[in-house]
């Protein structure tokens, strides 16, 4: 499982509240990614990081921000959650291939 | 940006038969093409990948072929078994070759493979 954990694994929140998802890796990988998965859309890249404090936007970055202050942690923040951000969020790392964490199921009511 | 099309969206085959899933990509700079298997409620798992300097790669019952000229690649599963039932995703990237790049993967929308007993 490439040493990737995500927390929380499930979260229910209300529209307008801030939410932070955490991805933690234990194998010192440089590249980390956040994807969201929705029915009919597959997996779409939100943001990625290529090192500590180095991040960039992906395909669906509106409404999301990220931070990476340590190699092992990559945080995804929804500043003001909306119902359209109800999704399953996967963190991933790049090693010899791209490997995914277990996912976080987020419901915004 | 890159666009990946995947077909079919659903594929039903008899146990023991072969299954083929096809993907096309738009960016000729793409050089890395992985395939993922995702069971219900689980994370996508990398099952096989191919880089642009190779035309075919096999791993036991699964194989991937790549046609760079036509910009398409395919997943072949032979002697299908019930445990092959899952959703399969193809993806493409311009940044994976030789370990370089950080721009992530662009995914197809997935194929639901059903193995009929």
């Amino acid at each position: 499982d490439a040493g990737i954990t995500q927390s929380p694994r499930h979260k229910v929140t209300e529209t307008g509240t801030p939410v932070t998802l955490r991805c933690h890796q234990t194998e010192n990988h440089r590249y980390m990614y956040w994807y969201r998965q929705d029915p009919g859309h597959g997996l779409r890249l939100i943001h990625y990081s290529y090192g500590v404090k180095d991040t960039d936007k992906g395909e669906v970055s509106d409404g999301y921000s990220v931070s990476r202050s340590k190699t092992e942690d990559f945080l995804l923040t929804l500043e003001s959650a909306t119902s359209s951000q109800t999704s399953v969020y996967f963190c991933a790392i790049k090693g010899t291939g791209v490997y995914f964490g277990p996912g976080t199921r987020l419901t915004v009511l | 940006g890159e666009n990946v099309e995947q077909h079919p969206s659903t594929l039903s085959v008899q146990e023991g038969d072969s299954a083929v899933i096809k993907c096309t990509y738009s960016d000729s700079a793409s050089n890395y093409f992985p395939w993922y298997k995702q069971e219900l409620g689980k994370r996508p798992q990398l099952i096989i990948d191919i880089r642009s300097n190779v035309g075919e790669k096999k791993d036991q019952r699964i194989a991937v072929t790549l046609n760079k000229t036509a910009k398409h690649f395919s997943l072949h599963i032979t002697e299908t078994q019930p445990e092959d039932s899952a959703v399969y995703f193809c993806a493409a990237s311009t940044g994976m070759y030789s370990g370089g790049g950080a721009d992530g993967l662009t995914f197809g929308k997935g194929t639901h493979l059903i193995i009929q007993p």
Side-chain angles (χ1 to χ4, degrees):
Chain A
D1 292 338
I4 308 168
T5 57
Q6 292 185 232
S7 58
R9 295 292 314 280
H10 302 271
K11 186 171 182 67
V12 179
T13 191
E14 295 194 346
T15 298
T17 61
V19 176
T20 295
L21 308 183
R22 179 181 183 241
C23 177
H24 179 79
Q25 55 126 339
T26 60
E27 297 181 356
N28 205 36
H29 295 288
R30 179 181 174 191
Y31 301 118
M32 299 182 74
Y33 308 87
W34 278 107
Y35 288 86
R36 62 178 287 175
Q37 184 173 35
D38 305 288
H41 289 278
L43 292 122
R44 293 178 291 173
L45 182 65
I46 305 171
H47 279 279
Y48 61 94
S49 170
Y50 45 97
V52 173
K53 295 188 179 4
D54 291 324
T55 65
D56 207 344
K57 296 178 180 180
E59 177 189 356
V60 291
S61 59
D62 287 350
Y64 302 95
S65 62
V66 291
S67 65
R68 190 157 178 215
S69 58
K70 297 185 291 185
T71 298
E72 57 266 35
D73 289 326
F74 191 29
L75 304 181
L76 177 70
T77 298
L78 291 66
E79 300 290 348
S80 177
T82 68
S83 58
S84 65
Q85 293 175 312
T86 291
S87 187
V88 180
Y89 292 86
F90 287 101
C91 173
I93 59 90
K94 181 165 81 81
T96 54
V98 173
Y99 299 93
F100 288 86
T104 294
R105 183 172 296 276
L106 176 68
T107 302
V108 183
L109 301 175
Chain B
E2 174 67 278
N3 182 52
V4 177
E5 300 282 343
Q6 183 171 348
H7 300 280
S9 57
T10 303
L11 178 61
S12 181
V13 301
Q14 292 294 126
E15 182 178 349
D17 288 349
S18 296
V20 181
I21 303 170
K22 299 181 179 181
C23 289
T24 60
Y25 61 99
S26 61
D27 189 344
S28 57
S30 287
N31 54 27
Y32 176 70
F33 307 92
W35 286 88
Y36 289 84
K37 175 183 180 182
Q38 188 177 30
E39 297 173 343
L40 190 62
K42 301 291 182 63
R43 74 186 80 188
Q45 291 201 307
L46 178 64
I47 56 172
I48 195 167
D49 57 13
I50 192 167
R51 300 181 191 274
S52 59
N53 60 341
V54 175
E56 183 176 0
K57 183 176 179 180
K58 287 184 178 180
D59 183 3
Q60 300 184 337
R61 294 186 299 108
I62 60 173
V64 57
T65 58
L66 171 65
N67 183 328
K68 287 189 295 181
T69 302
K71 289 192 280 189
H72 67 70
F73 56 113
S74 300
L75 178 71
H76 305 253
I77 306 174
T78 59
E79 300 173 5
T80 53
Q81 301 170 4
E83 54 264 37
D84 295 329
S85 293
V87 178
Y88 291 80
F89 292 95
C90 63
S93 172
T94 60
M96 291 295 294
Y97 194 67
S98 299
D103 58 347
L105 299 168
T106 301
F107 283 84
K109 289 184 169 48
T111 296
H112 185 193
L113 177 62
I114 301 165
I115 308 300
Q116 303 277 7

mmCIF file of all heavy atoms in Angstrom, chain B residues 5-31:
data_model
loop_
_atom_site.group_PDB
_atom_site.id
_atom_site.type_symbol
_atom_site.label_atom_id
_atom_site.label_comp_id
_atom_site.label_asym_id
_atom_site.label_seq_id
_atom_site.Cartn_x
_atom_site.Cartn_y
_atom_site.Cartn_z
ATOM 1 N N GLU B 5 -10.049 8.854 -23.637
ATOM 2 C CA GLU B 5 -11.349 8.228 -23.864
ATOM 3 C C GLU B 5 -11.220 6.720 -23.645
ATOM 4 O O GLU B 5 -10.267 6.114 -24.133
ATOM 5 C CB GLU B 5 -11.830 8.500 -25.287
ATOM 6 C CG GLU B 5 -11.999 9.977 -25.630
ATOM 7 C CD GLU B 5 -13.284 10.550 -25.066
ATOM 8 O OE1 GLU B 5 -14.181 9.757 -24.693
ATOM 9 O OE2 GLU B 5 -13.402 11.786 -24.978
ATOM 10 N N GLN B 6 -12.201 6.131 -22.974
ATOM 11 C CA GLN B 6 -12.142 4.709 -22.644
ATOM 12 C C GLN B 6 -13.429 4.027 -23.081
ATOM 13 O O GLN B 6 -14.534 4.535 -22.831
ATOM 14 C CB GLN B 6 -11.928 4.546 -21.135
ATOM 15 C CG GLN B 6 -11.787 3.117 -20.659
ATOM 16 C CD GLN B 6 -11.373 3.012 -19.199
ATOM 17 O OE1 GLN B 6 -10.976 3.983 -18.563
ATOM 18 N NE2 GLN B 6 -11.475 1.818 -18.643
ATOM 19 N N HIS B 7 -13.276 2.833 -23.679
ATOM 20 C CA HIS B 7 -14.440 2.067 -24.151
ATOM 21 C C HIS B 7 -14.201 0.568 -23.961
ATOM 22 O O HIS B 7 -13.063 0.119 -24.087
ATOM 23 C CB HIS B 7 -14.668 2.333 -25.647
ATOM 24 C CG HIS B 7 -14.934 3.756 -25.953
ATOM 25 N ND1 HIS B 7 -16.148 4.346 -25.772
ATOM 26 C CD2 HIS B 7 -14.103 4.729 -26.419
ATOM 27 C CE1 HIS B 7 -16.083 5.608 -26.118
ATOM 28 N NE2 HIS B 7 -14.850 5.868 -26.515
ATOM 29 N N PRO B 8 -15.246 -0.209 -23.690
ATOM 30 C CA PRO B 8 -16.617 0.248 -23.435
ATOM 31 C C PRO B 8 -16.789 0.706 -21.987
ATOM 32 O O PRO B 8 -15.883 0.522 -21.188
ATOM 33 C CB PRO B 8 -17.425 -1.014 -23.715
ATOM 34 C CG PRO B 8 -16.515 -2.116 -23.266
ATOM 35 C CD PRO B 8 -15.120 -1.664 -23.609
ATOM 36 N N SER B 9 -17.916 1.242 -21.642
ATOM 37 C CA SER B 9 -18.158 1.629 -20.260
ATOM 38 C C SER B 9 -18.549 0.412 -19.420
ATOM 39 O O SER B 9 -18.296 0.378 -18.215
ATOM 40 C CB SER B 9 -19.245 2.703 -20.175
ATOM 41 O OG SER B 9 -20.438 2.244 -20.782
ATOM 42 N N THR B 10 -19.162 -0.582 -20.051
ATOM 43 C CA THR B 10 -19.495 -1.835 -19.383
ATOM 44 C C THR B 10 -19.151 -2.981 -20.324
ATOM 45 O O THR B 10 -19.397 -2.893 -21.523
ATOM 46 C CB THR B 10 -20.990 -1.907 -19.021
ATOM 47 O OG1 THR B 10 -21.338 -0.795 -18.202
ATOM 48 C CG2 THR B 10 -21.303 -3.198 -18.272
ATOM 49 N N LEU B 11 -18.562 -4.037 -19.765
ATOM 50 C CA LEU B 11 -18.170 -5.196 -20.548
ATOM 51 C C LEU B 11 -18.511 -6.452 -19.758
ATOM 52 O O LEU B 11 -18.050 -6.617 -18.635
ATOM 53 C CB LEU B 11 -16.672 -5.148 -20.853
ATOM 54 C CG LEU B 11 -16.065 -6.322 -21.632
ATOM 55 C CD1 LEU B 11 -16.712 -6.437 -23.006
ATOM 56 C CD2 LEU B 11 -14.556 -6.135 -21.773
ATOM 57 N N SER B 12 -19.331 -7.298 -20.362
ATOM 58 C CA SER B 12 -19.720 -8.545 -19.714
ATOM 59 C C SER B 12 -19.174 -9.704 -20.534
ATOM 60 O O SER B 12 -19.429 -9.774 -21.745
ATOM 61 C CB SER B 12 -21.255 -8.630 -19.625
ATOM 62 O OG SER B 12 -21.652 -9.816 -18.984
ATOM 63 N N VAL B 13 -18.420 -10.584 -19.894
ATOM 64 C CA VAL B 13 -17.835 -11.737 -20.594
ATOM 65 C C VAL B 13 -18.062 -12.991 -19.760
ATOM 66 O O VAL B 13 -18.224 -12.927 -18.536
ATOM 67 C CB VAL B 13 -16.329 -11.559 -20.875
ATOM 68 C CG1 VAL B 13 -16.076 -10.325 -21.733
ATOM 69 C CG2 VAL B 13 -15.519 -11.513 -19.603
ATOM 70 N N GLN B 14 -18.061 -14.130 -20.458
ATOM 71 C CA GLN B 14 -18.176 -15.410 -19.773
ATOM 72 C C GLN B 14 -16.846 -15.765 -19.111
ATOM 73 O O GLN B 14 -15.761 -15.485 -19.674
ATOM 74 C CB GLN B 14 -18.564 -16.509 -20.745
ATOM 75 C CG GLN B 14 -19.969 -16.400 -21.310
ATOM 76 C CD GLN B 14 -21.026 -16.595 -20.243
ATOM 77 O OE1 GLN B 14 -21.903 -15.771 -20.059
ATOM 78 N NE2 GLN B 14 -20.925 -17.710 -19.518
ATOM 79 N N GLU B 15 -16.943 -16.359 -17.948
ATOM 80 C CA GLU B 15 -15.747 -16.818 -17.252
ATOM 81 C C GLU B 15 -14.923 -17.696 -18.189
ATOM 82 O O GLU B 15 -15.456 -18.586 -18.866
ATOM 83 C CB GLU B 15 -16.145 -17.603 -15.999
ATOM 84 C CG GLU B 15 -14.991 -18.081 -15.169
ATOM 85 C CD GLU B 15 -15.434 -18.810 -13.915
ATOM 86 O OE1 GLU B 15 -16.645 -18.766 -13.592
ATOM 87 O OE2 GLU B 15 -14.582 -19.434 -13.260
ATOM 88 N N GLY B 16 -13.631 -17.427 -18.224
ATOM 89 C CA GLY B 16 -12.748 -18.188 -19.102
ATOM 90 C C GLY B 16 -12.481 -17.520 -20.436
ATOM 91 O O GLY B 16 -11.483 -17.834 -21.108
ATOM 92 N N ASP B 17 -13.361 -16.593 -20.840
ATOM 93 C CA ASP B 17 -13.153 -15.863 -22.088
ATOM 94 C C ASP B 17 -12.181 -14.706 -21.861
ATOM 95 O O ASP B 17 -11.800 -14.402 -20.730
ATOM 96 C CB ASP B 17 -14.478 -15.334 -22.627
ATOM 97 C CG ASP B 17 -15.351 -16.443 -23.183
ATOM 98 O OD1 ASP B 17 -14.851 -17.577 -23.334
ATOM 99 O OD2 ASP B 17 -16.540 -16.175 -23.467
ATOM 100 N N SER B 18 -11.801 -14.044 -22.954
ATOM 101 C CA SER B 18 -10.910 -12.893 -22.871
ATOM 102 C C SER B 18 -11.709 -11.595 -22.841
ATOM 103 O O SER B 18 -12.838 -11.533 -23.343
ATOM 104 C CB SER B 18 -9.954 -12.869 -24.068
ATOM 105 O OG SER B 18 -9.097 -13.986 -24.048
ATOM 106 N N ALA B 19 -11.107 -10.569 -22.246
ATOM 107 C CA ALA B 19 -11.710 -9.230 -22.201
ATOM 108 C C ALA B 19 -10.697 -8.219 -22.722
ATOM 109 O O ALA B 19 -9.499 -8.327 -22.424
ATOM 110 C CB ALA B 19 -12.118 -8.872 -20.778
ATOM 111 N N VAL B 20 -11.183 -7.266 -23.509
ATOM 112 C CA VAL B 20 -10.320 -6.217 -24.043
ATOM 113 C C VAL B 20 -10.958 -4.859 -23.772
ATOM 114 O O VAL B 20 -12.128 -4.649 -24.077
ATOM 115 C CB VAL B 20 -10.097 -6.376 -25.562
ATOM 116 C CG1 VAL B 20 -9.170 -5.254 -26.070
ATOM 117 C CG2 VAL B 20 -9.506 -7.735 -25.879
ATOM 118 N N ILE B 21 -10.190 -3.974 -23.196
ATOM 119 C CA ILE B 21 -10.636 -2.607 -22.924
ATOM 120 C C ILE B 21 -9.702 -1.657 -23.674
ATOM 121 O O ILE B 21 -8.482 -1.842 -23.639
ATOM 122 C CB ILE B 21 -10.607 -2.296 -21.418
ATOM 123 C CG1 ILE B 21 -11.479 -3.300 -20.646
ATOM 124 C CG2 ILE B 21 -11.075 -0.871 -21.139
ATOM 125 C CD1 ILE B 21 -11.316 -3.228 -19.134
ATOM 126 N N LYS B 22 -10.288 -0.657 -24.344
ATOM 127 C CA LYS B 22 -9.501 0.212 -25.207
ATOM 128 C C LYS B 22 -9.543 1.661 -24.751
ATOM 129 O O LYS B 22 -10.577 2.139 -24.269
ATOM 130 C CB LYS B 22 -10.014 0.107 -26.642
ATOM 131 C CG LYS B 22 -9.911 -1.297 -27.219
ATOM 132 C CD LYS B 22 -10.404 -1.366 -28.644
ATOM 133 C CE LYS B 22 -10.265 -2.794 -29.183
ATOM 134 N NZ LYS B 22 -10.711 -2.897 -30.590
ATOM 135 N N CYS B 23 -8.413 2.343 -24.916
ATOM 136 C CA CYS B 23 -8.324 3.763 -24.577
ATOM 137 C C CYS B 23 -7.604 4.517 -25.682
ATOM 138 O O CYS B 23 -6.677 3.963 -26.310
ATOM 139 C CB CYS B 23 -7.592 3.964 -23.255
ATOM 140 S SG CYS B 23 -8.540 3.430 -21.830
ATOM 141 N N THR B 24 -8.014 5.738 -25.906
ATOM 142 C CA THR B 24 -7.297 6.635 -26.801
ATOM 143 C C THR B 24 -6.892 7.876 -26.025
ATOM 144 O O THR B 24 -7.556 8.253 -25.050
ATOM 145 C CB THR B 24 -8.152 7.041 -28.007
ATOM 146 O OG1 THR B 24 -9.340 7.723 -27.530
ATOM 147 C CG2 THR B 24 -8.579 5.843 -28.811
ATOM 148 N N TYR B 25 -5.806 8.501 -26.453
ATOM 149 C CA TYR B 25 -5.337 9.721 -25.796
ATOM 150 C C TYR B 25 -5.087 10.789 -26.854
ATOM 151 O O TYR B 25 -4.936 10.485 -28.036
ATOM 152 C CB TYR B 25 -4.098 9.446 -24.947
ATOM 153 C CG TYR B 25 -2.894 8.932 -25.707
ATOM 154 C CD1 TYR B 25 -1.865 9.787 -26.091
ATOM 155 C CD2 TYR B 25 -2.758 7.575 -26.003
ATOM 156 C CE1 TYR B 25 -0.753 9.317 -26.756
ATOM 157 C CE2 TYR B 25 -1.652 7.093 -26.674
ATOM 158 C CZ TYR B 25 -0.647 7.963 -27.047
ATOM 159 O OH TYR B 25 0.465 7.497 -27.714
ATOM 160 N N SER B 26 -5.027 12.025 -26.405
ATOM 161 C CA SER B 26 -4.949 13.123 -27.372
ATOM 162 C C SER B 26 -3.568 13.771 -27.454
ATOM 163 O O SER B 26 -3.202 14.308 -28.503
ATOM 164 C CB SER B 26 -5.976 14.201 -27.008
ATOM 165 O OG SER B 26 -5.702 14.737 -25.717
ATOM 166 N N ASP B 27 -2.802 13.720 -26.375
ATOM 167 C CA ASP B 27 -1.526 14.430 -26.331
ATOM 168 C C ASP B 27 -0.389 13.509 -26.781
ATOM 169 O O ASP B 27 -0.053 12.541 -26.091
ATOM 170 C CB ASP B 27 -1.273 14.929 -24.902
ATOM 171 C CG ASP B 27 -0.083 15.869 -24.809
ATOM 172 O OD1 ASP B 27 0.729 15.921 -25.757
ATOM 173 O OD2 ASP B 27 0.046 16.559 -23.779
ATOM 174 N N SER B 28 0.209 13.828 -27.910
ATOM 175 C CA SER B 28 1.275 12.974 -28.439
ATOM 176 C C SER B 28 2.514 12.968 -27.545
ATOM 177 O O SER B 28 3.393 12.126 -27.713
ATOM 178 C CB SER B 28 1.653 13.431 -29.860
ATOM 179 O OG SER B 28 2.032 14.786 -29.839
ATOM 180 N N ALA B 29 2.592 13.904 -26.590
ATOM 181 C CA ALA B 29 3.723 13.928 -25.651
ATOM 182 C C ALA B 29 3.552 12.932 -24.510
ATOM 183 O O ALA B 29 4.492 12.713 -23.739
ATOM 184 C CB ALA B 29 3.898 15.330 -25.082
ATOM 185 N N SER B 30 2.376 12.337 -24.368
ATOM 186 C CA SER B 30 2.170 11.362 -23.286
ATOM 187 C C SER B 30 3.116 10.187 -23.474
ATOM 188 O O SER B 30 3.319 9.699 -24.593
ATOM 189 C CB SER B 30 0.719 10.875 -23.269
ATOM 190 O OG SER B 30 -0.126 11.882 -22.785
ATOM 191 N N ASN B 31 3.702 9.735 -22.382
ATOM 192 C CA ASN B 31 4.731 8.689 -22.489
ATOM 193 C C ASN B 31 4.597 7.581 -21.450
ATOM 194 O O ASN B 31 5.448 6.707 -21.345
ATOM 195 C CB ASN B 31 6.123 9.319 -22.387
ATOM 196 C CG ASN B 31 6.282 10.167 -21.134
ATOM 197 O OD1 ASN B 31 5.631 9.938 -20.121
ATOM 198 N ND2 ASN B 31 7.150 11.165 -21.203
#
